[in-house]
Short mmCIF file of all heavy atoms in Angstrom, two decimals:
data_model
loop_
_atom_site.label_atom_id
_atom_site.label_comp_id
_atom_site.label_asym_id
_atom_site.label_seq_id
_atom_site.Cartn_x
_atom_site.Cartn_y
_atom_site.Cartn_z
N TYR R 32 38.93 56.63 -27.35
CA TYR R 32 39.96 56.80 -26.35
C TYR R 32 41.21 56.11 -26.91
O TYR R 32 41.15 54.93 -27.27
CB TYR R 32 39.56 56.14 -25.03
CG TYR R 32 38.38 56.80 -24.37
CD1 TYR R 32 37.21 56.09 -24.13
CD2 TYR R 32 38.41 58.13 -23.99
CE1 TYR R 32 36.11 56.69 -23.53
CE2 TYR R 32 37.31 58.74 -23.38
CZ TYR R 32 36.17 58.01 -23.17
OH TYR R 32 35.09 58.60 -22.59
N PHE R 34 45.54 55.32 -26.87
CA PHE R 34 46.69 55.11 -25.99
C PHE R 34 47.92 54.79 -26.82
O PHE R 34 47.82 54.19 -27.89
CB PHE R 34 46.42 53.94 -25.03
CG PHE R 34 45.18 54.08 -24.21
CD1 PHE R 34 43.96 53.69 -24.71
CD2 PHE R 34 45.24 54.59 -22.92
CE1 PHE R 34 42.80 53.81 -23.95
CE2 PHE R 34 44.10 54.71 -22.16
CZ PHE R 34 42.88 54.32 -22.67
N TYR R 36 51.49 52.69 -25.90
CA TYR R 36 52.24 51.89 -24.94
C TYR R 36 53.64 51.65 -25.49
O TYR R 36 53.84 51.57 -26.70
CB TYR R 36 51.56 50.53 -24.72
CG TYR R 36 50.32 50.56 -23.85
CD1 TYR R 36 49.07 50.83 -24.41
CD2 TYR R 36 50.40 50.28 -22.49
CE1 TYR R 36 47.93 50.84 -23.61
CE2 TYR R 36 49.27 50.29 -21.69
CZ TYR R 36 48.04 50.56 -22.26
OH TYR R 36 46.91 50.56 -21.46
N GLN R 38 57.02 48.93 -25.06
CA GLN R 38 57.47 47.63 -24.54
C GLN R 38 58.97 47.51 -24.73
O GLN R 38 59.45 47.47 -25.87
CB GLN R 38 56.75 46.48 -25.23
CG GLN R 38 57.10 45.13 -24.66
CD GLN R 38 56.39 43.99 -25.37
OE1 GLN R 38 56.12 44.03 -26.56
NE2 GLN R 38 56.06 42.94 -24.61
N ASN R 41 61.71 41.90 -23.36
CA ASN R 41 61.38 40.94 -22.29
C ASN R 41 60.62 41.57 -21.13
O ASN R 41 60.75 41.12 -19.98
CB ASN R 41 62.66 40.27 -21.78
CG ASN R 41 63.37 39.51 -22.88
OD1 ASN R 41 62.75 38.76 -23.62
ND2 ASN R 41 64.66 39.76 -23.02
N GLN R 42 59.84 42.60 -21.43
CA GLN R 42 59.03 43.22 -20.40
C GLN R 42 57.58 43.33 -20.86
O GLN R 42 57.25 43.08 -22.01
CB GLN R 42 59.57 44.61 -20.06
CG GLN R 42 60.96 44.61 -19.42
CD GLN R 42 61.37 45.99 -18.95
OE1 GLN R 42 60.53 46.84 -18.67
NE2 GLN R 42 62.67 46.19 -18.84
N GLY R 43 56.73 43.71 -19.95
CA GLY R 43 55.34 43.99 -20.28
C GLY R 43 55.19 45.36 -20.90
O GLY R 43 56.18 46.05 -21.16
N LEU R 44 53.97 45.76 -21.13
CA LEU R 44 53.70 47.06 -21.75
C LEU R 44 53.53 48.13 -20.68
O LEU R 44 52.91 47.91 -19.65
CB LEU R 44 52.43 46.99 -22.60
CG LEU R 44 52.60 46.43 -24.01
CD1 LEU R 44 52.85 44.94 -23.99
CD2 LEU R 44 51.35 46.76 -24.84
N GLN R 45 54.06 49.30 -21.00
CA GLN R 45 53.99 50.43 -20.09
C GLN R 45 53.27 51.58 -20.80
O GLN R 45 53.56 51.87 -21.96
CB GLN R 45 55.41 50.87 -19.70
CG GLN R 45 55.49 52.07 -18.79
CD GLN R 45 56.92 52.46 -18.49
OE1 GLN R 45 57.87 51.85 -18.95
NE2 GLN R 45 57.09 53.52 -17.72
N LEU R 46 52.34 52.22 -20.12
CA LEU R 46 51.59 53.31 -20.72
C LEU R 46 52.48 54.54 -20.90
O LEU R 46 53.10 55.01 -19.96
CB LEU R 46 50.39 53.67 -19.85
CG LEU R 46 49.49 54.77 -20.40
CD1 LEU R 46 48.75 54.26 -21.65
CD2 LEU R 46 48.48 55.22 -19.34
N LYS R 49 47.88 58.96 -23.02
CA LYS R 49 46.52 58.61 -23.42
C LYS R 49 45.75 59.86 -23.85
O LYS R 49 45.98 60.96 -23.33
CB LYS R 49 45.78 57.92 -22.28
CG LYS R 49 45.63 58.77 -21.02
CD LYS R 49 44.90 58.00 -19.93
CE LYS R 49 44.78 58.84 -18.65
NZ LYS R 49 44.09 58.09 -17.57
N TYR R 50 44.85 59.68 -24.79
CA TYR R 50 43.95 60.74 -25.24
C TYR R 50 42.55 60.39 -24.76
O TYR R 50 42.02 59.30 -25.04
CB TYR R 50 43.94 60.84 -26.77
CG TYR R 50 42.81 61.70 -27.27
CD1 TYR R 50 42.86 63.09 -27.13
CD2 TYR R 50 41.67 61.13 -27.84
CE1 TYR R 50 41.81 63.87 -27.56
CE2 TYR R 50 40.62 61.91 -28.28
CZ TYR R 50 40.70 63.28 -28.14
OH TYR R 50 39.66 64.06 -28.56
N THR R 51 41.94 61.36 -24.03
CA THR R 51 40.61 61.10 -23.49
C THR R 51 39.67 62.25 -23.79
O THR R 51 38.69 62.46 -23.08
CB THR R 51 40.68 60.90 -21.97
OG1 THR R 51 41.24 62.08 -21.38
CG2 THR R 51 41.54 59.71 -21.62
N GLU R 88 59.68 48.68 -28.58
CA GLU R 88 58.54 48.53 -29.48
C GLU R 88 57.40 49.37 -28.93
O GLU R 88 57.15 49.39 -27.72
CB GLU R 88 58.13 47.07 -29.62
CG GLU R 88 57.11 46.85 -30.73
CD GLU R 88 57.12 45.44 -31.29
OE1 GLU R 88 57.62 44.53 -30.62
OE2 GLU R 88 56.60 45.26 -32.42
N PHE R 90 53.29 50.54 -29.24
CA PHE R 90 51.97 50.09 -29.67
C PHE R 90 50.95 51.20 -29.48
O PHE R 90 50.86 51.80 -28.40
CB PHE R 90 51.51 48.88 -28.86
CG PHE R 90 52.31 47.64 -29.10
CD1 PHE R 90 53.40 47.32 -28.30
CD2 PHE R 90 51.98 46.78 -30.13
CE1 PHE R 90 54.15 46.18 -28.52
CE2 PHE R 90 52.73 45.63 -30.37
CZ PHE R 90 53.81 45.34 -29.56
N PHE R 94 40.45 52.17 -27.28
CA PHE R 94 39.51 51.56 -26.36
C PHE R 94 38.09 51.78 -26.85
O PHE R 94 37.69 52.90 -27.15
CB PHE R 94 39.66 52.15 -24.96
CG PHE R 94 38.69 51.56 -23.97
CD1 PHE R 94 38.94 50.33 -23.40
CD2 PHE R 94 37.51 52.21 -23.65
CE1 PHE R 94 38.05 49.76 -22.51
CE2 PHE R 94 36.61 51.66 -22.77
CZ PHE R 94 36.88 50.43 -22.19
N ASN R 96 33.97 49.40 -26.76
CA ASN R 96 33.24 48.14 -26.56
C ASN R 96 33.91 47.27 -25.50
O ASN R 96 34.03 46.05 -25.66
CB ASN R 96 33.12 47.37 -27.86
CG ASN R 96 32.29 48.12 -28.89
OD1 ASN R 96 31.30 48.77 -28.56
ND2 ASN R 96 32.73 48.07 -30.13
N GLU R 97 34.33 47.90 -24.43
CA GLU R 97 34.92 47.22 -23.28
C GLU R 97 36.30 46.63 -23.56
O GLU R 97 36.83 45.89 -22.72
CB GLU R 97 34.00 46.08 -22.79
CG GLU R 97 32.60 46.51 -22.45
CD GLU R 97 32.57 47.39 -21.21
OE1 GLU R 97 33.35 47.11 -20.27
OE2 GLU R 97 31.80 48.37 -21.19
N LYS R 98 36.88 46.91 -24.72
CA LYS R 98 38.13 46.25 -25.07
C LYS R 98 39.13 47.24 -25.65
O LYS R 98 38.76 48.26 -26.22
CB LYS R 98 37.88 45.15 -26.10
CG LYS R 98 36.89 44.13 -25.68
CD LYS R 98 36.41 43.32 -26.89
CE LYS R 98 35.19 42.50 -26.53
NZ LYS R 98 34.61 41.85 -27.72
N LEU R 99 40.41 46.90 -25.50
CA LEU R 99 41.48 47.60 -26.19
C LEU R 99 41.82 46.86 -27.46
O LEU R 99 42.01 45.64 -27.43
CB LEU R 99 42.74 47.66 -25.33
CG LEU R 99 42.99 48.86 -24.43
CD1 LEU R 99 44.36 48.73 -23.77
CD2 LEU R 99 42.92 50.16 -25.19
N THR R 100 41.89 47.59 -28.56
CA THR R 100 42.35 47.02 -29.83
C THR R 100 43.71 47.62 -30.11
O THR R 100 43.89 48.83 -30.13
CB THR R 100 41.38 47.36 -30.97
OG1 THR R 100 40.10 46.81 -30.66
CG2 THR R 100 41.89 46.80 -32.28
N PHE R 101 44.70 46.74 -30.35
CA PHE R 101 46.07 47.18 -30.54
C PHE R 101 46.45 47.20 -32.02
O PHE R 101 45.99 46.36 -32.81
CB PHE R 101 47.04 46.25 -29.82
CG PHE R 101 47.06 46.43 -28.33
CD1 PHE R 101 46.16 45.76 -27.52
CD2 PHE R 101 47.98 47.27 -27.74
CE1 PHE R 101 46.17 45.93 -26.15
CE2 PHE R 101 48.01 47.46 -26.36
CZ PHE R 101 47.10 46.77 -25.57
N GLY R 102 47.34 48.11 -32.36
CA GLY R 102 48.03 48.02 -33.63
C GLY R 102 49.08 46.93 -33.55
O GLY R 102 49.32 46.36 -32.49
N THR R 103 49.73 46.67 -34.68
CA THR R 103 50.69 45.57 -34.74
C THR R 103 52.07 45.97 -34.24
O THR R 103 52.96 45.13 -34.18
CB THR R 103 50.80 45.04 -36.17
OG1 THR R 103 51.06 46.12 -37.05
CG2 THR R 103 49.51 44.34 -36.59
N GLY R 104 52.25 47.22 -33.88
CA GLY R 104 53.49 47.65 -33.25
C GLY R 104 54.51 48.21 -34.22
O GLY R 104 54.54 47.86 -35.40
N ARG L 9 56.49 32.24 -15.19
CA ARG L 9 57.02 33.22 -16.15
C ARG L 9 57.50 32.54 -17.44
O ARG L 9 57.47 33.16 -18.51
CB ARG L 9 58.18 33.99 -15.52
CG ARG L 9 57.79 34.87 -14.36
CD ARG L 9 56.91 36.05 -14.80
NE ARG L 9 57.42 36.72 -15.97
CZ ARG L 9 58.41 37.62 -15.94
NH1 ARG L 9 58.95 37.95 -14.78
NH2 ARG L 9 58.83 38.18 -17.06
N TYR L 31 38.27 44.73 -13.87
CA TYR L 31 38.46 44.08 -15.16
C TYR L 31 39.82 43.41 -15.24
O TYR L 31 40.84 43.97 -14.82
CB TYR L 31 38.36 45.12 -16.29
CG TYR L 31 37.00 45.77 -16.41
CD1 TYR L 31 36.69 46.88 -15.64
CD2 TYR L 31 36.04 45.26 -17.28
CE1 TYR L 31 35.44 47.47 -15.74
CE2 TYR L 31 34.80 45.85 -17.38
CZ TYR L 31 34.50 46.95 -16.61
OH TYR L 31 33.26 47.54 -16.71
N TYR L 33 42.20 40.86 -18.11
CA TYR L 33 42.28 40.47 -19.52
C TYR L 33 43.43 39.49 -19.71
O TYR L 33 44.46 39.58 -19.04
CB TYR L 33 42.55 41.69 -20.40
CG TYR L 33 41.59 42.84 -20.21
CD1 TYR L 33 41.75 43.74 -19.15
CD2 TYR L 33 40.54 43.04 -21.09
CE1 TYR L 33 40.88 44.81 -18.99
CE2 TYR L 33 39.66 44.11 -20.93
CZ TYR L 33 39.84 44.98 -19.88
OH TYR L 33 38.97 46.04 -19.72
N TYR L 35 45.88 38.38 -22.99
CA TYR L 35 46.29 38.62 -24.36
C TYR L 35 47.40 37.62 -24.73
O TYR L 35 48.12 37.14 -23.88
CB TYR L 35 46.89 40.02 -24.54
CG TYR L 35 45.94 41.16 -24.34
CD1 TYR L 35 45.76 41.73 -23.08
CD2 TYR L 35 45.25 41.70 -25.42
CE1 TYR L 35 44.91 42.80 -22.90
CE2 TYR L 35 44.39 42.78 -25.24
CZ TYR L 35 44.23 43.32 -23.98
OH TYR L 35 43.39 44.39 -23.81
N GLN L 37 50.77 37.63 -27.46
CA GLN L 37 51.57 38.49 -28.33
C GLN L 37 52.39 37.64 -29.27
O GLN L 37 53.18 36.79 -28.82
CB GLN L 37 52.49 39.40 -27.52
CG GLN L 37 53.28 40.37 -28.40
CD GLN L 37 54.16 41.30 -27.60
OE1 GLN L 37 54.58 41.00 -26.49
NE2 GLN L 37 54.45 42.46 -28.17
N GLY L 40 54.27 40.37 -35.56
CA GLY L 40 53.43 40.78 -36.68
C GLY L 40 51.95 40.91 -36.36
O GLY L 40 51.17 41.34 -37.21
N HIS L 41 51.57 40.53 -35.13
CA HIS L 41 50.15 40.59 -34.76
C HIS L 41 49.87 41.54 -33.61
O HIS L 41 48.72 41.79 -33.29
CB HIS L 41 49.64 39.20 -34.38
CG HIS L 41 49.58 38.25 -35.53
ND1 HIS L 41 48.51 38.22 -36.41
CD2 HIS L 41 50.44 37.31 -35.96
CE1 HIS L 41 48.73 37.29 -37.32
NE2 HIS L 41 49.89 36.72 -37.08
N GLY L 42 50.88 42.07 -33.00
CA GLY L 42 50.63 42.89 -31.82
C GLY L 42 50.07 42.04 -30.70
O GLY L 42 50.40 40.86 -30.56
N LEU L 43 49.19 42.64 -29.91
CA LEU L 43 48.52 41.90 -28.84
C LEU L 43 47.08 41.62 -29.25
O LEU L 43 46.38 42.51 -29.73
CB LEU L 43 48.52 42.71 -27.54
CG LEU L 43 49.78 42.61 -26.70
CD1 LEU L 43 50.85 43.52 -27.24
CD2 LEU L 43 49.48 42.94 -25.24
N LEU L 45 43.39 39.91 -27.95
CA LEU L 45 42.63 39.57 -26.77
C LEU L 45 42.09 38.15 -26.85
O LEU L 45 41.46 37.75 -27.84
CB LEU L 45 41.47 40.55 -26.60
CG LEU L 45 40.58 40.37 -25.38
CD1 LEU L 45 41.38 40.63 -24.09
CD2 LEU L 45 39.39 41.30 -25.45
N TYR L 48 38.36 38.03 -21.45
CA TYR L 48 38.42 39.04 -20.42
C TYR L 48 37.33 38.79 -19.38
O TYR L 48 36.39 38.02 -19.61
CB TYR L 48 38.33 40.46 -20.99
CG TYR L 48 37.00 40.84 -21.57
CD1 TYR L 48 36.10 41.64 -20.86
CD2 TYR L 48 36.63 40.45 -22.86
CE1 TYR L 48 34.89 42.01 -21.40
CE2 TYR L 48 35.43 40.81 -23.41
CZ TYR L 48 34.56 41.59 -22.69
OH TYR L 48 33.35 41.97 -23.22
N LYS L 57 34.45 36.29 -24.34
CA LYS L 57 35.48 35.91 -25.29
C LYS L 57 36.06 37.13 -25.99
O LYS L 57 35.38 38.13 -26.21
CB LYS L 57 34.89 34.97 -26.34
CG LYS L 57 34.41 33.65 -25.79
CD LYS L 57 33.83 32.79 -26.90
CE LYS L 57 33.35 31.45 -26.34
NZ LYS L 57 32.79 30.60 -27.42
N GLY L 58 37.33 36.98 -26.37
CA GLY L 58 37.98 37.96 -27.22
C GLY L 58 38.06 37.45 -28.64
O GLY L 58 37.34 36.53 -29.04
N PHE L 90 50.13 37.79 -21.89
CA PHE L 90 50.10 38.91 -20.96
C PHE L 90 48.74 39.02 -20.31
O PHE L 90 47.69 38.90 -20.97
CB PHE L 90 50.41 40.23 -21.67
CG PHE L 90 51.85 40.39 -22.05
CD1 PHE L 90 52.27 40.12 -23.34
CD2 PHE L 90 52.77 40.81 -21.11
CE1 PHE L 90 53.61 40.25 -23.69
CE2 PHE L 90 54.11 40.95 -21.45
CZ PHE L 90 54.53 40.68 -22.74
N ALA L 98 36.98 57.71 -15.38
CA ALA L 98 36.59 58.58 -16.48
C ALA L 98 37.64 58.59 -17.56
O ALA L 98 38.81 58.43 -17.29
CB ALA L 98 36.39 60.00 -15.93
N GLY L 99 37.20 58.73 -18.80
CA GLY L 99 38.16 58.88 -19.88
C GLY L 99 38.73 57.58 -20.38
O GLY L 99 39.90 57.53 -20.74
N GLY L 100 37.93 56.54 -20.42
CA GLY L 100 38.43 55.31 -20.98
C GLY L 100 39.27 54.54 -19.99
O GLY L 100 39.84 55.11 -19.07
N ARG L 101 39.36 53.30 -20.17
CA ARG L 101 40.02 52.45 -19.17
C ARG L 101 41.40 52.04 -19.66
O ARG L 101 41.56 51.12 -20.44
CB ARG L 101 39.15 51.23 -18.91
CG ARG L 101 37.87 51.57 -18.17
CD ARG L 101 37.33 50.37 -17.46
NE ARG L 101 37.00 49.30 -18.39
CZ ARG L 101 35.81 49.17 -18.96
NH1 ARG L 101 34.87 50.05 -18.73
NH2 ARG L 101 35.57 48.17 -19.77
N GLU L 102 42.40 52.73 -19.14
CA GLU L 102 43.75 52.30 -19.45
C GLU L 102 44.01 50.99 -18.75
O GLU L 102 43.49 50.73 -17.67
CB GLU L 102 44.77 53.34 -19.03
CG GLU L 102 44.80 53.62 -17.54
CD GLU L 102 45.57 54.88 -17.22
OE1 GLU L 102 44.99 55.98 -17.39
OE2 GLU L 102 46.73 54.77 -16.81
N GLN L 103 44.82 50.17 -19.37
CA GLN L 103 45.12 48.86 -18.82
C GLN L 103 46.56 48.81 -18.35
O GLN L 103 47.45 49.41 -18.94
CB GLN L 103 44.86 47.78 -19.87
CG GLN L 103 43.39 47.70 -20.25
CD GLN L 103 43.09 46.59 -21.23
OE1 GLN L 103 43.92 45.74 -21.52
NE2 GLN L 103 41.86 46.58 -21.74
N PHE L 104 46.76 48.09 -17.28
CA PHE L 104 48.09 47.88 -16.71
C PHE L 104 48.46 46.42 -16.92
O PHE L 104 47.66 45.53 -16.64
CB PHE L 104 48.09 48.24 -15.23
CG PHE L 104 47.68 49.65 -14.96
CD1 PHE L 104 46.37 49.95 -14.64
CD2 PHE L 104 48.59 50.68 -15.04
CE1 PHE L 104 45.97 51.26 -14.41
CE2 PHE L 104 48.21 51.99 -14.81
CZ PHE L 104 46.89 52.28 -14.50
N PHE L 105 49.69 46.21 -17.37
CA PHE L 105 50.09 44.88 -17.83
C PHE L 105 51.03 44.19 -16.86
O PHE L 105 51.88 44.83 -16.22
CB PHE L 105 50.75 44.98 -19.20
CG PHE L 105 49.76 45.22 -20.30
CD1 PHE L 105 49.26 46.48 -20.54
CD2 PHE L 105 49.30 44.16 -21.07
CE1 PHE L 105 48.32 46.70 -21.54
CE2 PHE L 105 48.36 44.36 -22.07
CZ PHE L 105 47.87 45.63 -22.29
N GLY L 106 50.89 42.88 -16.81
CA GLY L 106 51.83 42.07 -16.08
C GLY L 106 53.10 41.83 -16.88
O GLY L 106 53.20 42.27 -18.03
N PRO L 107 54.06 41.09 -16.30
CA PRO L 107 55.36 40.90 -16.95
C PRO L 107 55.37 39.88 -18.07
O PRO L 107 56.32 39.81 -18.83
CB PRO L 107 56.26 40.45 -15.81
CG PRO L 107 55.33 39.77 -14.88
CD PRO L 107 54.04 40.53 -14.96
N ARG L 110 56.09 33.33 -21.01
CA ARG L 110 56.53 32.78 -22.29
C ARG L 110 56.24 31.29 -22.30
O ARG L 110 56.80 30.55 -21.49
CB ARG L 110 58.02 33.04 -22.51
CG ARG L 110 58.52 32.58 -23.88
CD ARG L 110 59.95 33.02 -24.11
NE ARG L 110 60.08 34.48 -24.14
CZ ARG L 110 59.90 35.22 -25.20
NH1 ARG L 110 59.55 34.68 -26.36
NH2 ARG L 110 60.06 36.53 -25.14
#
Side-chain angles (χ1 to χ4, degrees):
Chain R
Y32 294 119
F34 304 85
Y36 284 86
Q38 184 181 33
N41 299 312
Q42 295 187 25
L44 277 72
Q45 178 182 359
L46 182 69
K49 61 181 178 181
Y50 167 74
T51 59
E88 190 155 20
F90 293 93
F94 179 80
N96 296 322
E97 304 292 322
K98 303 165 193 172
L99 266 184
T100 299
F101 285 87
T103 52
Chain L
R9 294 292 314 280
Y31 296 86
Y33 307 81
Y35 294 90
Q37 183 178 25
H41 292 277
L43 277 81
L45 182 65
Y48 69 102
K57 296 179 179 180
F90 287 99
R101 291 203 298 271
E102 63 194 78
Q103 295 183 10
F104 302 95
F105 285 80
R110 185 173 297 275

